[in-house]
């Protein structure tokens, strides 16, 4: 039917602009300003995102590009997230506006060398009162997942931020994630911005639930990494108390508090086992004091594979229990257990070493041999390589890495008290290296006793972990203490083994450990402090640390 142009209004051309409300509902928008017709009729807030077309900077200024990108975060079509995340579809409007640039950011193997943080990332209106999927694009949240989550994977994976479970996350968890992510950001002031909001988890007004346990575990790790040992201990003990009060060690807790969401259920399982691991590790650093959860009965299922968990897809929950892990650890069971299971096994053996070292029994030789064999066997059973869940190259994932790290530390703690090298008169006490020593020195020898040989071998293998492909700066902050132990053992060995060839090898490992501590020290203050103390110790002994 022909339209009479003289008697009718001209047809409105389709608008290339649409408000956020219409975009999210997949509705046509007439783009009326300041409120479109649909929003006016439904009395809904109407908001537009300024177009970036034609505003690309000629000089490619990275700060300007970040500012441009920040304004695009909230323009993502939320209903299209599942397809968008998997890369199966890419809306042409997103290509036109430049939002396609964000697709690689979900692969956290990408290096986020962010020169500056846009102001909008610190105070998005959508994030003031509710957690929305846009939080996944917060630069500091990205840094959290890139640099920390793989080492301590208890929170929901990043892709799950686009699922309904995202809405139940407390604000203080996001603040903790930003606070941790800020440690990898070049602007040091960001850590102070998020420090206070992060520590609100410790407030008495915060609900005593599983999220509070998660927050306290994360802060205990951070406080330890800052050298705040007493604070880390108090927070960790409070987290253990609350977890046991809630029954997180029971099999039913995860299912009852997940609302039927398998990812959240797996997250609760991981929270307890992360608590178990951190409790054991910090106990070892606290002069081998009590590992509280070591004797605590646990019905919680063993976590699933890291690749499956971080995929954000439906998680197949593991039916393996801690009893399966401890009673049926045979060579032919290797494929039954996830890499997280190897990590749990390693810290369990570390707890056995601590128990042994506190024993007042006289005849311990049989127990020593048993634990030594168990540690060596568990290392043999570790997969030689495992596909990194964020890349395609074969390499040890972070859980397998930490299983090795913890096992070698356990061997050091096992053999040092029984080695002649313990008699070295050195001042090596830090919050990482409380190895008992005496003031008597044993003359240098061309050969080492059996325990000293095993001690030095464990230190060699532990130090070698710093040479693996994954960047040291993204390793767990606990790697600081592992490296410090290596430096101490190799420094002592230099005093006991005067053979030039061996001394050169040990000095090279000392330099490797000190260099890795330098890298970690850029993010975590404890690594910087410990490194300075170890260099001073090294120099006091008349050795040169280049």
């Amino acid at each position: 039917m022909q339209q009479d142009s003289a008697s009718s209004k001209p047809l409105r051309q389709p608008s290339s602009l649409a408000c956020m409300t219409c975009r999210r509902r997949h509705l046509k928008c007439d783009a009326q300003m300041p409120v479109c017709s649909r929003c006016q009729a439904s009395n809904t807030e109407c908001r537009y995102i300024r177009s970036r077309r034609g505003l690309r900077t000629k000089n490619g200024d990275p700060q300007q590009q970040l500012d441009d990108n920040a304004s695009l975060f909230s323009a993502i079509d939320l209903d299209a997230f599942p397809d968008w995340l998997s890369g199966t579809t890419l809306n042409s409007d997103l290509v036109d506006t430049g939002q396609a640039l964000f697709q690689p950011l979900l692969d956290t193997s990408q290096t986020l060398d962010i020169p500056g943080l846009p102001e909008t990332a610190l105070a998005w209106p959508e994030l003031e009162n509710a957690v929305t999927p846009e939080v996944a694009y917060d630069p500091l949240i990205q840094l959290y997942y890139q640099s920390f989550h793989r080492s301590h994977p208890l929170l929901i994976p990043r892709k799950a931020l686009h699922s309904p479970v995202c809405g139940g996350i407390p604000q203080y968890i996001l603040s903790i994630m930003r606070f941790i992510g800020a440690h990898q950001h070049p602007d040091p002031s960001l850590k102070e911005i998020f420090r206070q909001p992060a520590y609100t988890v410790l407030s008495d007004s915060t609900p005593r639930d599983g999220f509070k346990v998660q927050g306290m575990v994360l802060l205990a790790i951070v406080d330890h990494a800052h050298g705040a040992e007493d604070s880390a201990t108090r927070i960790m003990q409070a987290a253990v108390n609350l977890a046991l009060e809630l029954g997180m060690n029971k099999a039913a807790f995860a299912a009852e508090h997940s609302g039927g969401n398998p990812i959240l259920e797996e997250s609760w399982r991981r929270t307890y086992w992360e608590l178990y691991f951190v409790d054991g590790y910090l106990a070892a650093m606290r002069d081998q004091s009590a590992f509280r959860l070591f004797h605590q009965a646990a019905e919680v299922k063993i976590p699933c594979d890291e690749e499956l968990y971080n995929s954000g897809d439906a998680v197949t929950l593991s039916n393996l229990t801690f009893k399966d892990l401890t009673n049926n650890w045979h060579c032919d069971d290797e494929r039954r257990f996830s890499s997280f299971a190897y990590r749990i096994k390693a810290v369990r053996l570390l707890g056995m070493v601590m128990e042994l070292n506190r024993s007042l029994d006289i005849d311990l030789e049989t127990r020593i041999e048993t634990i030594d064999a168990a540690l060596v066997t568990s290392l043999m059973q570790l997969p030689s390589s495992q596909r990194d869940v964020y890349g395609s190259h074969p390499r040890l994932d972070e859980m397998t890495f930490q299983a090795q790290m913890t096992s070698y530390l356990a061997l050091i703690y096992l053999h040092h008290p029984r080695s002649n090298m313990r008699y070295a008169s050195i001042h090596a006490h830090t919050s990482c290296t409380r190895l008992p020593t005496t003031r008597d020195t044993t003359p240098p020898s061309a050969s080492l006793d059996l325990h000293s040989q095993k001690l030095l071998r464990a230190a060699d293998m532990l130090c070698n972990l710093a040479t693996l492909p994954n960047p040291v700066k993204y390793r767990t902050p606990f790697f600081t203490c592992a490296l410090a132990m290596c430096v101490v053992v190799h420094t002592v060995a230099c005093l006991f083994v005067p053979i030039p060839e061996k001394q050169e090898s040990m000095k090279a490992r000392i330099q490797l450990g000190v260099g890795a501590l330098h890298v970690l020290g850029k993010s975590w203050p404890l690594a910087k402090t410990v490194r300075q103390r170890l260099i001073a110790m090294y120099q006091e002994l008349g050795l040169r640390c280049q």
Side-chain angles (χ1 to χ4, degrees):
M1 182 175 182
Q2 296 291 331
Q3 179 176 327
D4 185 356
S5 58
S7 60
S8 303
K9 295 182 180 180
L11 287 172
R12 177 180 293 276
Q13 294 296 321
S15 174
S16 60
L17 181 65
C19 72
M20 289 303 302
T21 302
C22 291
R23 286 190 186 189
R24 288 171 176 164
R25 296 177 179 176
H26 292 284
L27 299 175
K28 292 182 179 180
C29 181
D30 59 12
Q32 291 288 336
M33 297 290 185
V35 181
C36 74
S37 299
R38 290 186 183 276
C39 290
Q40 187 174 19
S42 60
N43 195 25
T44 305
E45 179 186 5
C46 191
R47 186 166 57 85
Y48 294 89
I49 296 297
R50 184 164 61 98
S51 173
R52 311 307 299 176
R53 292 184 182 181
L55 296 182
R56 179 175 296 179
T57 56
K58 295 181 179 180
N59 59 0
D61 178 33
Q63 178 61 55
Q64 181 62 48
Q65 184 177 2
L66 275 172
D67 293 340
D68 293 348
N69 289 344
S71 67
L72 296 173
F73 289 157
S74 55
I76 301 292
D77 185 348
L78 303 185
D79 294 328
F81 266 131
D83 291 337
W84 187 80
L85 290 173
S86 63
T88 56
T89 62
L90 191 61
N91 190 293
S92 60
D93 291 339
L94 299 184
V95 176
D96 291 341
T97 59
Q99 293 179 39
L101 296 173
F102 284 100
Q103 189 158 350
L105 294 182
L106 284 181
D107 179 359
T108 51
S109 64
Q110 300 291 328
T111 300
L112 298 174
D113 294 322
I114 305 176
L117 188 69
E119 293 181 2
T120 52
L122 299 179
W124 288 339
E126 296 91 338
L127 303 181
E128 292 289 342
N129 301 312
V131 182
T132 63
E134 285 89 343
V135 73
Y137 301 97
D138 181 322
L140 295 184
I141 298 294
Q142 293 182 47
L143 284 174
Y144 170 85
Y145 279 102
Q146 177 190 10
S147 64
F148 192 85
H149 176 76
R150 284 175 287 182
S151 295
H152 301 280
L154 68 161
L155 299 185
I156 63 172
R158 187 179 173 208
K159 288 185 178 181
L161 293 176
H162 300 283
S163 69
V165 72
C166 174
I169 301 175
Q171 285 293 327
Y172 62 74
I173 291 291
L174 297 181
S175 295
I176 292 172
M177 294 167 72
R178 292 186 178 109
F179 177 53
I180 294 174
H183 285 76
Q184 297 292 341
H185 196 278
D187 184 356
S189 66
L190 293 178
K191 291 193 291 288
E192 298 307 314
I193 292 175
F194 292 106
R195 180 186 300 275
Q196 184 174 354
Y199 280 83
T200 58
V201 66
L202 303 179
S203 171
D204 291 338
S205 61
T206 304
R208 296 177 63 80
D209 56 16
F211 289 111
K212 184 162 186 168
V213 175
Q214 289 183 335
M216 288 194 290
V217 172
L218 293 173
L219 288 186
I221 297 171
V222 171
D223 275 8
H224 172 77
H226 276 254
E229 182 182 8
D230 291 341
S231 176
T233 299
R234 286 194 300 269
I235 294 174
M236 193 63 203
Q237 295 310 307
V240 170
N241 291 338
L242 179 56
L244 296 179
E245 173 188 321
L246 296 172
M248 295 188 76
N249 59 320
K250 305 296 183 181
F253 179 90
E256 291 175 355
H257 293 81
S258 64
N261 187 296
I263 294 178
L264 184 56
E265 182 176 349
E266 175 70 7
S267 176
W268 292 135
R269 293 179 172 189
R270 287 166 171 261
T271 298
Y272 179 80
W273 288 120
E274 189 68 30
L275 184 74
Y276 184 90
F277 176 80
V278 176
D279 185 34
Y281 200 95
L282 292 184
M285 297 304 105
R286 293 192 305 268
D287 201 14
Q288 303 186 44
S289 60
F291 176 3
R292 289 186 59 195
L293 293 180
F294 181 75
H295 294 290
Q296 181 66 51
E299 303 171 357
V300 189
K301 304 296 188 197
I302 300 299
C304 68
D305 290 326
E306 298 305 293
E307 182 175 6
L308 179 61
Y309 182 60
N310 286 286
S311 69
D313 299 327
V315 173
T316 302
L317 300 177
S318 168
N319 289 319
L320 297 172
T321 65
F322 187 63
K323 185 177 181 180
D324 296 326
L325 184 63
T326 54
N327 292 348
N328 300 311
W329 193 261
H330 304 299
C331 294
D332 58 355
D333 287 332
E334 180 174 308
R335 295 189 178 184
R336 292 182 56 203
F337 297 99
S338 65
S339 56
F340 204 129
Y342 291 103
R343 182 181 183 237
I344 296 170
K345 178 69 172 183
V347 80
R348 172 73 176 174
L349 291 171
L350 176 60
M352 294 174 65
V353 172
M354 290 189 282
E355 290 275 297
L356 178 68
N357 288 345
R358 287 196 300 272
S359 174
L360 298 179
D361 293 340
I362 297 176
D363 186 8
L364 296 173
E365 198 61 34
T366 301
R367 290 175 61 188
I368 293 170
E369 293 176 355
T370 300
I371 296 177
D372 181 56
L375 282 164
V376 174
T377 300
S378 67
L379 285 165
M380 290 178 177
Q381 291 172 341
L382 286 172
S384 58
S385 65
Q386 186 160 326
R387 192 167 73 83
D388 191 314
V389 297
Y390 295 95
S392 58
H393 302 291
R395 63 181 68 181
L396 291 179
D397 74 0
E398 292 300 317
M399 297 295 95
T400 308
F401 171 87
Q402 290 182 38
Q404 286 190 336
M405 177 188 75
T406 306
S407 297
Y408 292 133
L409 271 176
L411 286 167
I412 289 175
Y413 278 120
L414 178 65
H415 293 292
H416 178 270
R418 299 158 183 93
S419 163
N420 286 339
M421 290 171 58
R422 72 184 184 278
Y423 295 119
S425 180
I426 61 174
H427 303 286
H429 275 220
T430 69
S431 56
C432 285
T433 55
R434 291 190 180 93
L435 291 178
T437 60
T438 70
R439 304 300 291 179
D440 298 326
T441 59
T442 299
S445 172
S447 61
L448 296 173
D449 66 290
L450 181 60
H451 286 294
S452 294
Q453 292 178 36
K454 291 186 175 183
L455 171 64
L456 187 56
R457 173 63 174 169
D460 289 346
M461 299 304 293
L462 181 54
C463 187
N464 286 347
L465 295 180
T467 67
L468 294 177
N470 303 46
V472 170
K473 68 177 181 177
Y474 293 156
R475 294 299 188 189
T476 170
F478 290 152
F479 196 31
T480 292
C481 291
L483 291 167
M485 292 292 288
C486 292
V487 173
V488 170
V489 171
H490 287 121
T491 301
V492 173
C494 283
L495 299 177
F496 276 75
V497 186
I499 302 175
E501 293 80 6
K502 290 187 177 181
Q503 284 198 344
E504 287 303 314
S505 173
M506 287 181 284
K507 287 179 182 180
R509 294 183 186 279
I510 291 171
Q511 292 172 355
L512 173 61
V514 170
L517 285 171
H518 174 69
V519 174
L520 286 171
K522 295 179 181 179
S523 302
W524 307 110
L526 177 63
K528 183 177 181 180
T529 301
V530 169
R531 175 179 178 271
Q532 293 170 345
R533 180 69 189 92
L534 293 176
I535 289 176
M537 174 201 70
Y538 190 54
Q539 293 172 339
E540 286 172 6
L541 296 173
L543 303 172
R544 291 171 51 189
C545 183
Q546 300 176 352

